[in-house]
Amino acid sequence: MGTEGGNVRVIGGRYRLEARIGRGGMGVVWRADDTLLGRQVAVKELGVDETLSHDEQRQQRERMLREARAVAQLRHPNIIVVHDVIRDEQHPYIVMELISGGSLADRIARDGPVDAVEAARIGLSLLDALRVAHAAGVLHRDLKPANVLLEAGTGRVVLTDFGIAQVEGATTLTETGGFVGSPEYTAPERMAGERAGAGADLWSLGALLCTALAGESPFRRDSLGGILHAVVYDEIRPPAAAEPIAPVILGLLEREPARRLRLDQAERLLRAYVATGATPQPAVPQAPYTPTRPDVPTVPRKGRSTRVLLVTAALVAGVAGAGIATAALLAQRDDNSPPGPASSASESSRAPSASPSGSASPAPTVTVTRTAPTPSGTPSGTTPAGYRTVTDAKGFSLRVPDGFTRSLDGPRVFYMSPGNTFRLGIKVAADAGDGPGAAQRQAAEDGPKNNPGYRDGSVVDTLHKGHTAALWEFTWNGFSKDEGARRTVDLCWEQDGRLYDVWVSAPVGRAGEARGYFDTAVDSFVPSAHK
């Protein structure tokens, strides 16, 4: 991989890997020299599951790069800066700022627990970071002391290692049945294999604060099964040192997501403690965890206890050497309801959108199976629960959520949720010769004309299944006050002389859920004929 110079590798034609400084489940982290800009950086070499087929590995790499680019759009002092996302000899890499200083885990191991004031300071910094990530529909999914850096000299708190981050709607289990995240910091709803929202990251923050104050996680046990049982069932007892901010910790460690402390509530309580030194008191009764931006909510699920036991058994069996892949099947919801009704809205001429005026029932849990297209022109593999495979007369096949209905607008095809809250759009056209990058940049230039309140637009050149592609993302205001702010994600790629364009549009507060629909549609898309 890369250019070899003695024992030194150079990737991307500019990053010289100098020393390995970390290793985790998602890859290896290197200290590197950016020879173009003359600066030190950190380079994360993402690992790929070698047990997958060649096509599945390729799709996994593309998914990693796509999600890494989403994280690269995040800008906040408490979030690691991503300088570059590259592929070198088919291996994906993330180039990040190099933080001088160790992790919170290192500090605890070296100096012991922190006091309540320092824990509150760290907690506030992480809440600021999560607010930005969640507003963009990005969940961290592995918030723990080892992934929190403390910059030497400044004390800046930096949330890093978004290596397993995904958009809202991901489950705890990977496509091959593996466990995603660190069990001691994983929320109960994710243990149950449920579709988890921003509240799962807040649970992890509560566990992290306990660890910072006590020196170890409150859910540490001698076995994986013991950890899973502790997270889901055991009485939660914060350490005595946590008493000054106990209402925050207990609120974050509320097992039922609907009753869990919201991000804004936790921030208000911690700021009150830092300002006064007095233990903050939450409002009584505690406000429910409801859909308010920037939080992305989770919804209570039925039958959690049974599913947790099944998932626990499968995971423990996997550790013992038995087939863990069955966990993905055991974790599926038993109420695969589609998104609920909402008000309809009109579309822009380039990236369609619609917005709800009311609530919606939870989207179904999706266990996406990455498979290569079959020669017949339809997606291969088992269609995930809550989805169906459609073969469209416009010349393509893909998977769409149950309950989405088809409509036409000139050359564009839409698959829309009830009430048009979510819209999947597809357009197939001849390539005029400029390619997807030029097409997307022209569309972005026309964004203010076609999309009221157009902002935060970005176009990134990328690859899709080996084809030249460009990803366009932006926020806008919708066509009426009732719609509210919306987020659109649009991938365009060239294949066999044609441009294929797939996009999704949704309310900003549900951008993560929409991204799940988008990823499934893009990953399963197969051209069937030229129409």
Side-chain angles (χ1 to χ4, degrees):
M1 286 180 293
T3 302
E4 298 286 348
N7 293 324
V8 177
R9 282 193 289 149
V10 177
I11 62 168
R14 62 185 283 191
Y15 303 109
R16 184 170 60 240
L17 307 184
E18 297 181 338
R20 183 180 297 170
I21 57 176
R23 175 185 287 275
M26 298 303 294
V28 177
V29 180
W30 302 82
R31 184 178 69 248
D33 179 45
D34 182 347
T35 59
L36 180 63
L37 297 181
R39 64 181 176 184
Q40 291 282 292
V41 295
V43 174
K44 184 164 189 176
E45 181 179 357
L46 297 174
V48 176
D49 188 348
E50 300 296 336
T51 65
L52 300 176
S53 70
H54 176 75
D55 286 336
E56 289 171 334
Q57 289 182 33
R58 184 194 65 213
Q59 292 188 21
Q60 184 184 45
R61 286 192 293 266
E62 289 166 354
R63 180 66 175 268
M64 286 176 169
L65 290 171
R66 192 160 68 234
E67 291 171 355
R69 289 182 179 112
V71 174
Q73 302 302 314
L74 304 179
R75 294 288 185 270
H76 192 273
N78 299 121
I79 296 178
I80 195 77
V81 175
V82 175
H83 295 310
D84 202 357
V85 180
I86 65 173
R87 184 202 305 263
D88 188 276
E89 296 188 7
Q90 299 305 309
H91 287 265
Y93 295 84
I94 304 175
V95 182
M96 303 170 288
E97 66 174 321
L98 182 65
I99 301 296
S100 176
S103 68
L104 176 59
D106 295 333
R107 174 172 172 175
I108 294 171
R110 183 183 66 246
D111 302 326
V114 305
D115 60 27
V117 173
E118 177 66 358
R121 183 187 77 86
I122 292 171
L124 285 168
S125 296
L126 294 176
L127 286 170
D128 283 345
L130 291 177
R131 174 182 290 105
V132 172
H134 292 172
V138 175
L139 308 185
H140 189 278
R141 298 208 302 162
D142 199 20
L143 184 59
K144 59 184 179 182
N147 288 337
V148 176
L149 303 180
L150 305 176
E151 188 173 51
T154 68
R156 179 167 69 111
V157 178
V158 181
L159 181 57
T160 187
D161 205 350
F162 282 81
I164 66 167
Q166 267 196 347
V167 296
E168 188 272 336
T171 66
T172 300
L173 301 170
T174 67
E175 297 138 11
T176 56
F179 193 87
V180 177
S182 303
E184 293 178 34
Y185 299 92
T186 299
E189 61 268 27
R190 288 189 55 225
M191 290 292 192
E194 295 173 359
R195 183 178 289 274
D201 278 346
L202 296 177
W203 167 282
S204 299
L205 176 60
L208 178 146
L209 292 176
C210 271
T211 301
L213 289 161
E216 69 175 16
S217 165
F219 305 109
R220 178 162 296 177
R221 300 293 188 271
D222 293 335
S223 66
L224 176 59
I227 293 171
L228 300 181
H229 190 279
V231 168
V232 178
Y233 297 111
D234 286 356
E235 180 181 358
I236 298 173
R237 298 180 179 179
E243 183 177 354
I245 57 172
V248 179
I249 291 176
L250 291 173
L252 294 173
L253 293 180
E254 169 58 55
R255 286 191 169 101
E256 184 53 67
R259 294 194 295 268
R260 192 169 300 154
L261 208 61
R262 296 198 312 262
L263 188 149
D264 59 333
Q265 293 174 317
E267 180 184 38
R268 176 175 57 80
L269 295 177
L270 286 179
R271 290 199 186 282
Y273 170 71
V274 171
T276 66
T279 299
Q281 296 301 318
V284 179
Q286 181 174 310
Y289 188 65
T290 55
T292 56
R293 185 184 178 188
D295 289 320
V296 183
T298 49
V299 182
R301 309 297 194 218
K302 299 182 294 182
R304 173 178 295 163
S305 297
T306 301
R307 285 198 305 279
V308 169
L309 291 174
L310 291 172
V311 174
T312 301
L315 289 170
V316 173
V319 172
I324 195 171
T326 56
L329 297 176
L330 295 172
Q332 291 179 1
R333 281 185 51 193
D334 32 30
D335 57 331
N336 289 322
S337 53
S343 64
S344 62
S346 56
E347 312 271 349
S348 75
S349 62
R350 178 63 174 84
S353 189
S355 177
S357 61
S359 61
S361 48
T365 296
V366 177
T367 306
V368 179
T369 303
R370 305 247 179 265
T371 53
T374 60
S376 63
T378 59
S380 65
T382 302
T383 300
Y387 281 76
R388 73 183 192 278
T389 298
V390 298
T391 299
D392 197 280
K394 288 289 186 179
F396 58 84
S397 297
L398 80 168
R399 291 177 178 133
V400 300
D402 290 339
F404 278 41
T405 57
R406 182 182 187 270
S407 68
L408 288 174
D409 180 10
R412 299 178 301 168
V413 181
F414 297 106
Y415 286 90
M416 299 175 289
S417 69
N420 300 347
T421 304
F422 301 95
R423 294 199 176 201
L424 279 171
I426 305 99
K427 182 179 179 181
V428 182
D431 184 3
D434 294 332
Q440 295 286 59
R441 288 179 175 84
Q442 182 60 54
E445 184 177 334
D446 295 337
K449 177 177 65 177
N450 295 325
N451 299 86
Y454 178 88
R455 59 192 180 276
D456 300 332
S458 66
V459 176
V460 179
D461 292 316
T462 183
L463 291 174
H464 173 63
K465 298 182 180 178
H467 302 289
T468 302
L471 183 70
W472 176 32
E473 300 186 58
F474 63 92
T475 303
W476 60 300
N477 291 341
F479 290 110
S480 69
K481 292 183 179 180
D482 291 338
E483 284 189 314
R486 302 186 62 78
R487 187 71 177 171
T488 297
V489 181
D490 184 328
L491 182 71
C492 180
W493 71 95
E494 186 278 331
Q495 185 173 349
D496 298 328
R498 303 182 72 79
L499 288 183
Y500 294 91
D501 195 5
V502 177
W503 65 89
V504 70
S505 177
V508 165
R510 303 183 72 178
E513 185 178 347
R515 190 65 179 255
Y517 299 151
F518 171 78
D519 285 335
T520 301
V522 167
D523 288 345
S524 64
F525 188 96
V526 179
S528 55
H530 291 171
K531 299 289 183 179

